[in-house]
Amino acid sequence: MSTATPVREESHDGIPSGPSSQHHPSPHGRRPGGTVGGGLFDPRQLVRSLPQALRKLDPRVMITSPVMFVVEVGSVVTTVLAVAHPGDWFGWTIAAWLWLTVLFANLAEAVAEGRGKAQADTLRKAKTDSVARRLTDDGTEERVPGTGLRVGDLVVCEAGDLIPGDGDVVEGVASVDESAITGESAPVIRESGGDRCAVTGGTKVLSDRIVVRITTKPGETFIDRMISLVEGAARQKTPNEIALNILLASLTVVFLLAVVTLQPFALYAGAEQSLTVLAALLVCLIPTTIGALLSAIGIAGMDRLVQRNVLATSGRAVEAAGDVSTLLLDKTGTITLGDRRAAAFVPVGNATEAELAEAAQLSSLADETPEGRSVVVLAKERYGLRERHEGELAGADWVPFTAQTRMSGVDLPATGAASGADGPDGVRLRVRKGAAGAVCAWVGERGGQVTDELHTQVERISQEGGTPLVVGIEDADGARALGVIHLKDVIKDGMRERFAELRRMGIKTVMITGDNPLTAKAIAEEAGVDDYLAEATPEDKMTLIRSEQTGGRLVAMTGDGTNDAPALAQADVGVAMNTGTSAAKEAGNMVDLDSDPTKLIEIVEIGKQLLITRGALTTFSIANDVAKYFAIIPAMFAVAYPGLDTLNIMRLSSPQSAILSAVIFNALIIVALVPLALRGVRYRPMSADRMLRRNLAVYGVGGLVAPFVGIKLVDLLITLIPGVG
């Protein structure tokens, strides 16, 4: 691998350990392929979306939205009446604004879809027709088109090659550029075995050689599915959306019956109403605002996930995330940084902290593990010990760590008899660092004694959830243990606060770890999670998920390995890491392109934001219908029943102006709410009852007040038009 190529390092479980793992994009941040979200009302986007909005006027499309279909029927009826009476300016104006109402609704959906199509266009640029080097049965290579590959084929990819299809690395290790998928410029490492073997078709190998087993058919690759999903082609209505559609359809039928039966009463009162007025009344009374924005809200919810580099297989997954009540989170890489770090030096006996720190640093100079490097850093920062260089340790015999010895260290050669500090066998100093049992046994074999104080400190660190590493030395004074290095899983900054937010939302957090129960308990208490599952196996995860689901809870979890696939499939929201295996990505209903496990918390927040936005705009839509009663009903019957004029609390100038003002406001409010539908109502962690009170106060009261103000302003403008006021 070229040293000039920056590589995003990853830990053993496929979790990026660099800055990218801590990245939390803003709502207008990076998207797949590196695209950046533009403004909500980009004029070019509006122009591109307008033809699609016009195509959606097709009744076969409109009928999927019962509310807007009724508005379109009303538009057709009023247009026919206007054509029959060409001199009726009122009829033409009502017809025009009803058509604009339908068009604005379609434009809101088209803009939301257009944002996804723009992302899909970027992804298509990454999807190129490639030539694959397929391995034959006799081990030779043959060149075939990428579209000719089949599941199970083995292909060779070297530096500069495009990976021809999705698959798993079965041989070798390489640096891969995945910027076309993730938007992340730094390459990643892909290697055979483990949880970093999955590669994506269309990405580029930058170094070395790998053999990939193809796992998907042509046309069904990850990029193909991404294009389909971000375009909205695979977006299905969610259960809540379907239920809301049924409610809106029911309200529409109720108001339709009310308007139809209103005409006989009008005839009886001697105030017969025209079909144009009745159509205007119907459109103003039915919940057109939420009916117009409902689809855009759902599409925008998926779009917000894509902006955070999370791909949901359907809107159902996004919505389920909003209803999640239990989060299963891996400890390593999610709650903790993933690498244990030296936190303290604990001397025993007559040893000093400085003496222990110097020996610990010396034993860690050749230790390239994160733990070993952290010991060197702690010794330097806390005690000012500079790192030794190779020239200062000439002739040193480094003892590597092995699973058998469970310790590592260094033997320093004698410097001559004059030093007076030479130990046995011509060695001046021996230092060992490792597991307590191994180092204590080494000290005992060298004739040294291990004190009870050492065992006490080892036990204390273990009970606190840390990992004790004992440091022992042998010099002219004999063998002895100097003390213990306290290795600690470092909790990520802000995790305790985030868990507190989730608790206020009524979400239970469960930490999953392979650690022993003692360590797991200590870390869980420090991180602030509600529960933990220690020494977890795949079967344990499945049992826990089913137990939560049996209690009526929706469960979300993350995973990246093949052993996580059953639990990901069982969970209501399964977020697979893009660095993970193909089995994990197939089992989950979301894929995080950044492979950041902490993003599960953001996904839940986005899901809740989707549900809150839908509920808030539904509340606003139904509330603002009330004000329209006070605009239209008095205007329709004030001539026959002068007493109704007292209901004209807005003091609208004339019956025609009142009806026209209500219709115009009904259309314009859709445009005004499109940014809110696409951006989403701001999410705040709070309990369900507080959230309900807040929505009723803001959107319920706002929905009542806004039409009174808006209709009155429109009426004032209309009265300025000669012959209308």
Side-chain angles (χ1 to χ4, degrees):
M1 184 186 303
S2 171
T3 56
T5 303
V7 176
R8 187 177 67 199
E9 295 293 342
E10 301 181 27
S11 66
H12 65 280
D13 53 0
I15 298 168
S17 59
S20 62
S21 66
Q22 303 301 315
H23 179 58
H24 299 289
S26 68
H28 301 288
R30 188 178 72 250
R31 297 180 180 179
T35 61
V36 178
L40 291 173
F41 273 126
D42 182 353
R44 291 173 297 178
Q45 183 64 61
L46 286 175
V47 172
R48 287 193 297 265
S49 301
L50 186 57
Q52 180 66 15
L54 293 173
R55 284 192 290 269
K56 288 178 179 290
L57 293 175
D58 186 338
R60 292 171 297 181
V61 177
M62 294 298 301
I63 200 168
T64 59
S65 175
V67 175
M68 299 316 299
F69 179 71
V70 169
V71 178
E72 185 175 44
V73 171
S75 305
V76 172
V77 170
T78 53
T79 302
V80 171
L81 292 173
V83 170
H85 302 86
D88 182 11
W89 68 266
F90 178 75
W92 280 108
T93 308
I94 291 294
W97 278 102
L98 291 186
W99 279 115
L100 284 174
T101 302
V102 180
L103 184 62
F104 291 157
N106 289 348
L107 192 60
E109 183 175 358
V111 167
E113 290 176 349
R115 288 148 65 92
K117 284 182 171 63
Q119 297 162 22
D121 290 340
T122 303
L123 290 171
R124 281 195 180 90
K125 295 177 183 177
K127 188 176 182 297
T128 58
D129 294 330
S130 57
V131 176
R133 298 161 56 187
R134 183 168 62 187
L135 287 177
T136 61
D137 293 338
D138 58 4
T140 60
E141 295 181 12
E142 61 176 354
R143 292 186 174 272
V144 298
T147 54
L149 294 174
R150 295 294 178 264
V151 175
D153 285 349
L154 297 178
V155 297
V156 176
C157 298
E158 294 182 325
D161 291 344
L162 285 177
I163 297 174
D166 294 357
D168 293 329
V169 178
V170 295
E171 179 183 323
V173 57
S175 170
V176 179
D177 177 8
E178 295 187 342
S179 59
I181 306 298
T182 66
E184 184 70 54
S185 59
V188 295
I189 298 297
R190 293 290 174 263
E191 59 187 346
S192 60
D195 297 336
R196 289 190 295 167
C197 62
V199 291
T200 305
T203 56
K204 187 177 183 179
V205 177
L206 298 180
S207 69
D208 302 292
R209 176 184 185 274
I210 53 176
V211 177
V212 178
R213 177 182 288 113
I214 300 299
T215 57
T216 58
K217 299 177 183 178
E220 298 179 4
T221 65
F222 189 60
I223 289 185
D224 290 317
R225 285 186 288 136
M226 285 180 68
I227 292 172
S228 174
L229 290 167
V230 299
E231 282 186 321
R235 198 189 85 86
Q236 297 178 342
K237 292 185 183 295
T238 63
N240 282 348
E241 195 174 345
I242 292 172
L244 185 54
N245 262 316
I246 293 173
L247 173 62
L248 297 181
S250 302
L251 290 174
T252 301
V253 171
V254 169
F255 285 121
L256 179 61
L257 293 175
V259 171
V260 168
T261 57
L262 195 62
Q263 185 71 323
F265 290 103
L267 289 172
Y268 177 78
E272 181 180 357
Q273 303 297 320
S274 67
L275 284 178
T276 299
V277 172
L278 292 175
L281 174 65
L282 176 61
V283 170
C284 288
L285 296 188
I286 62 178
T288 51
T289 306
I290 185 60
L293 299 175
L294 185 58
S295 183
I297 292 170
I299 295 171
M302 294 185 68
D303 182 62
R304 281 192 290 276
L305 276 182
V306 174
Q307 289 173 3
R308 287 164 173 79
N309 272 6
V310 178
L311 183 68
T313 58
S314 70
R316 291 173 181 265
V318 186
E319 190 170 277
D323 285 328
V324 160
S325 49
T326 301
L327 283 184
L328 305 187
L329 301 162
D330 276 333
K331 181 204 74 173
T332 305
T334 304
I335 296 173
T336 66
L337 293 176
D339 298 322
R340 295 171 301 174
R341 297 183 180 180
F345 297 118
V346 183
V348 296
N350 296 325
T352 64
E353 280 193 50
E355 184 182 3
L356 173 59
E358 184 173 8
Q361 183 199 53
L362 187 61
S363 67
S364 302
L365 292 179
D367 187 349
E368 291 302 320
T369 64
E371 293 87 350
R373 291 195 295 269
S374 73
V375 171
V376 175
V377 170
L378 181 64
K380 178 181 179 181
E381 291 180 348
R382 186 168 296 182
Y383 300 99
L385 298 177
R386 63 183 180 84
E387 184 175 339
R388 325 287 179 88
H389 296 286
E390 191 173 332
E392 300 178 68
L393 301 170
D397 184 13
W398 299 102
V399 179
F401 175 87
T402 66
Q404 289 73 31
T405 62
R406 296 189 300 149
M407 61 182 177
S408 60
V410 61
D411 292 345
L412 297 181
T415 56
S419 68
D422 293 348
D425 305 324
V427 176
R428 172 166 54 94
L429 177 67
R430 287 186 172 89
V431 183
R432 294 294 184 270
K433 175 197 70 179
V439 176
C440 289
W442 179 82
V443 170
E445 291 171 359
R446 297 278 169 178
Q449 296 292 323
V450 178
T451 63
D452 292 338
E453 182 185 0
L454 179 73
H455 293 300
T456 300
Q457 294 295 347
V458 167
E459 182 66 21
R460 178 186 63 80
I461 292 172
S462 298
Q463 289 179 348
E464 292 177 358
T467 301
L469 290 182
V470 173
V471 177
I473 66 169
E474 182 186 19
D475 56 14
D477 296 329
R480 62 192 181 279
L482 293 180
V484 187
I485 303 172
H486 183 174
L487 291 182
K488 185 178 180 182
D489 272 326
V490 179
I491 306 296
K492 289 183 178 180
D493 291 340
M495 292 305 295
R496 191 175 187 89
E497 290 74 16
R498 298 193 80 174
F499 290 142
E501 289 182 2
L502 292 171
R503 196 172 297 110
R504 287 196 296 272
M505 294 156 48
I507 295 177
K508 174 184 176 183
T509 52
V510 181
M511 182 185 77
I512 299 176
T513 177
D515 291 338
N516 62 71
L518 201 61
T519 301
K521 182 175 184 244
I523 295 175
E525 289 176 350
E526 183 179 355
V529 296
D530 298 313
D531 202 355
Y532 63 90
L533 178 65
E535 298 177 342
T537 65
E539 292 77 15
D540 293 334
K541 296 178 186 178
M542 287 285 290
T543 301
L544 176 60
I545 292 173
R546 286 171 177 163
S547 172
E548 293 290 326
Q549 290 172 333
T550 301
R553 292 173 169 263
L554 295 187
V555 180
M557 74 162 288
T558 60
D560 56 6
T562 301
N563 63 338
D564 291 324
L568 287 171
Q570 180 68 34
D572 300 284
V573 178
V575 183
M577 301 295 100
N578 190 42
T579 56
T581 61
S582 299
K585 288 192 279 189
E586 289 293 332
N589 50 22
M590 291 188 187
V591 177
D592 177 18
L593 303 179
D594 290 332
S595 300
D596 177 8
T598 61
K599 203 178 289 183
L600 178 59
I601 299 174
E602 289 186 68
I603 291 170
V604 170
E605 292 176 351
I606 291 171
K608 286 193 173 293
Q609 185 184 38
L610 169 65
L611 296 179
I612 292 169
T613 303
R614 187 184 295 157
L617 291 184
T618 300
T619 302
F620 184 93
S621 178
I622 294 176
N624 74 31
D625 288 338
V626 175
K628 298 168 194 172
Y629 282 94
F630 292 92
I632 295 182
I633 297 298
M636 292 174 62
F637 294 99
V639 175
Y641 300 102
L644 286 177
D645 192 55
T646 56
L647 294 178
N648 184 16
I649 58 178
M650 288 179 277
R651 313 317 300 171
L652 302 178
S653 57
S654 69
Q656 285 185 326
S657 174
I659 295 170
L660 188 55
S661 297
V663 171
I664 293 174
F665 173 82
N666 193 62
L668 294 180
I669 196 64
I670 294 173
V671 179
L673 290 175
V674 167
L676 184 61
L678 297 182
R679 185 181 62 249
V681 174
R682 184 180 176 187
Y683 168 76
R684 293 182 178 88
M686 61 180 67
S687 61
D689 57 336
R690 283 189 59 199
M691 191 176 299
L692 177 61
R693 289 196 300 269
R694 176 179 175 273
N695 279 352
L696 288 176
V698 175
Y699 297 98
V701 175
L704 286 172
V705 174
F708 284 96
V709 177
I711 291 173
K712 181 60 179 178
L713 289 175
V714 174
D715 176 70
L716 292 174
L717 292 175
I718 289 176
T719 56
L720 299 177
I721 302 174
V724 177

